[in-house]
Amino acid sequence: MHSDDGTQNEEVIGSNANCLSSRGAIPTSWIARVSSKVPDVVARCASRAAHLLVQYTNRHVHIPGNPWDRYPYINVKRYEGKLTCGTRFRPLTLNCETVNTCNNACVICACSEQTRKKISMSMSIFEKVVQDYSSMGGGHMSLTPIVGDILMDRDILERLRILESHPGIDDLSVTTNASLAHRFDDSELRYFVSRFSRIQISIYGLDAEEYREMTKRKTYDQMVTGIRRFLQVGADKVTFSFRLLRQWTRRDVDAWLDRTIYANLAGRAITTEPRPINSLMTGGYANWGVLDTSKPLPFNASWCPPRVNKTQCMLPILSFLVYSNGNVSFCPCDNFDDVEELSLGNIKDATLLELYNTPKAKALWNWKEHGVPGFCKRCTFHIPIQYLRLSREALDDPFKIMGG
């Protein structure tokens, strides 16, 4: 983009000028007049000034309706097509909950606290979700239920076949506890795995006792068998997320994987090194906004300390959530019971893009003026939006934070 003497070529200068003119910053003719009537050194300075002004404009000039306008470190232009759709705005990804039931009853999860009706998403709603998301640009989509497990969805294979006809949704991920893999024969499980770019398996204990204390289930062996089957058909897709009660170390976890999971596996699964561990927790568990954290966890595992949140949360810029009944939530992370103050409406009544650009959605992006939603005030999943100043790559790969 530069000539041999270090100056920008005319194409770049023209591009900069057109960009600035379209935003009402400076007239297009200004660059041309300076370039033709003043010495080269001044023209180069003018061009450089225009280039810097373009960068400033992209970052700081008000874009009508921009919900993140008050956060200058969110560069909407950089993520054009990922945070925008035409003149409207969208989050980076979509989380679609096709089922809100789970086979476990984990002591660190709010699944047992939900009052929502437990249902499987109808195929008509699912098809509209997929169509709406494709129409707004598609991209990454997660099928992880906010509380539940994807393997509880009896229609999941049919849903994956529907997604094949929507190439704009080009990156699928999911989190599962793997213990219901027995519901699928080898060919079905192989197809399931093939449709995802990433499958995160949550592991809730390194022995039967710990697993039972965490999940309230006696299915430890079933979980181990399920994980091994997943690895056998698609080891390159699998990552692990450990949520443990005992104070295990990374060395303990690696040894457990080698001894219990990878031992005697055939083919390339056994060669995966280092082991694909996405996260390892032995405490600091979130309260989901409602759990009684004064009640001790087994084996002295810890809760995240209580807090009062006052700053905007960054998680809704990463994703938004469609529930199994078609309701849409501003919060993709903690809103397990679909509280009204975080609800954007139902996909049966409007498109996803319309729902994300309502006055209510924009008000939810301005806690400073409209107040912190009551449900969010004590949520310990909360991540301040200022985190993006320190870790802007979170917008490049949101699932480093969100998991699957």
Side-chain angles (χ1 to χ4, degrees):
M1 302 299 284
H2 290 76
S3 61
D4 291 340
D5 65 357
T7 60
Q8 288 184 298
N9 62 32
E10 294 178 359
E11 179 183 355
V12 175
I13 294 174
S15 174
N16 290 344
N18 289 336
C19 178
L20 288 163
S21 178
S22 69
R23 294 182 178 274
I26 58 175
T28 306
S29 60
W30 186 81
I31 292 287
R33 188 165 62 250
V34 169
S35 299
S36 62
K37 294 184 179 181
V38 298
D40 287 347
V41 64
V42 178
R44 289 198 297 270
C45 290
S47 175
R48 177 59 177 163
H51 179 66
L52 291 174
L53 191 53
V54 168
Q55 291 183 321
Y56 180 87
T57 300
N58 286 345
R59 291 176 180 270
H60 301 288
V61 170
H62 174 73
I63 303 173
N66 181 0
W68 311 295
D69 204 31
R70 63 190 58 81
Y71 312 114
Y73 40 86
I74 299 177
N75 183 357
V76 173
K77 282 294 291 183
R78 177 180 174 184
Y79 299 96
E80 192 169 12
K82 292 184 176 181
L83 289 177
T84 59
C85 178
T87 59
R88 290 188 281 187
F89 297 85
R90 52 160 288 177
L92 290 170
T93 71
L94 171 68
N95 189 3
C96 180
E97 175 199 76
T98 64
V99 65
N100 65 321
T101 54
C102 192
N103 54 307
N104 287 338
C106 294
V107 295
I108 60 169
C109 181
C111 186
S112 61
E113 301 290 327
Q114 69 173 326
T115 61
R116 289 189 290 141
K117 184 178 180 181
K118 296 180 180 180
I119 61 172
S120 178
M121 178 180 282
S122 71
M123 296 308 296
S124 61
I125 290 178
F126 183 76
E127 288 174 352
K128 188 173 189 301
V129 170
V130 171
Q131 182 59 55
D132 281 6
Y133 190 50
S134 296
S135 296
M136 60 193 283
H140 183 95
M141 182 173 174
S142 170
L143 294 180
T144 302
I146 190 166
V147 282
D149 194 89
I150 191 63
L151 301 185
M152 295 284 288
D153 184 357
R154 298 284 186 177
D155 298 316
I156 185 57
L157 298 182
E158 183 179 353
R159 300 188 202 278
L160 293 175
R161 283 188 282 270
I162 289 172
L163 282 164
E164 286 190 58
S165 62
H166 292 270
I169 302 176
D170 56 8
D171 189 22
L172 285 175
S173 70
V174 73
T175 296
T176 176
N177 60 48
S179 59
L180 293 179
H182 65 272
R183 288 187 168 188
F184 303 86
D185 63 31
D186 287 347
S187 63
E188 290 172 332
L189 190 63
R190 186 172 291 106
Y191 174 72
F192 177 95
V193 171
S194 73
R195 293 295 297 128
F196 290 94
S197 57
R198 173 173 173 167
I199 297 172
Q200 179 172 265
I201 297 179
S202 294
I203 298 171
Y204 296 113
L206 301 192
D207 56 51
E209 181 187 22
E210 182 182 26
Y211 181 87
R212 185 173 61 253
E213 288 293 325
M214 174 67 90
T215 66
K216 302 304 179 184
R217 299 291 184 264
K218 299 179 180 180
T219 54
Y220 173 81
D221 291 337
Q222 194 170 296
M223 177 267 296
V224 169
T225 300
I227 295 173
R228 287 171 60 86
R229 287 190 66 210
F230 268 102
L231 289 172
Q232 198 69 68
V233 300
D236 57 328
K237 304 288 186 73
V238 173
T239 65
F240 299 119
S241 174
F242 287 86
R243 300 292 181 263
L244 307 173
L245 295 171
R246 290 191 168 109
Q247 299 305 299
W248 302 104
T249 66
R250 173 59 189 262
R251 180 176 294 181
D252 295 327
V253 169
D254 284 337
W256 179 83
L257 284 170
D258 288 340
R259 179 181 66 253
T260 308
I261 302 299
Y262 284 93
N264 301 317
L265 279 182
R268 60 182 178 176
I270 193 65
T271 66
T272 306
E273 291 286 356
R275 299 312 187 200
I277 298 175
N278 185 48
S279 63
L280 168 58
M281 291 182 65
T282 58
Y285 292 112
N287 62 9
W288 290 84
V290 298
L291 296 184
D292 181 7
T293 58
S294 66
K295 183 178 179 180
L297 290 168
F299 304 118
N300 294 317
S302 63
W303 295 103
C304 185
R307 66 174 72 153
V308 177
N309 301 314
K310 298 180 180 180
T311 59
Q312 195 80 35
C313 180
M314 67 167 277
L315 291 172
I317 198 175
L318 303 184
S319 188
F320 64 147
L321 169 69
V322 183
Y323 294 104
S324 51
N325 67 353
N327 284 352
V328 179
S329 172
F330 177 74
C331 170
C333 175
D334 186 31
N335 186 17
F336 69 94
D337 216 23
D338 189 17
V339 298
E340 175 59 32
E341 62 185 338
L342 296 175
S343 176
L344 300 181
N346 191 287
I347 194 172
K348 290 179 285 188
D349 303 321
T351 67
L352 283 174
L353 191 61
E354 289 169 340
L355 293 171
Y356 198 77
N357 285 268
T358 59
K360 181 175 182 179
K362 292 176 181 178
L364 284 167
W365 271 115
N366 191 352
W367 289 3
K368 184 175 182 180
E369 180 176 335
H370 297 279
V372 181
F375 186 78
C376 303
K377 287 181 179 179
R378 287 176 169 76
C379 170
T380 50
F381 281 119
H382 174 273
I383 302 177
I385 200 166
Q386 290 82 359
Y387 177 83
L388 293 175
R389 286 176 173 167
L390 304 175
S391 180
R392 298 189 184 186
E393 65 270 15
L395 296 182
D396 296 320
D397 185 5
F399 284 87
K400 284 186 176 179
I401 293 175
M402 299 183 67

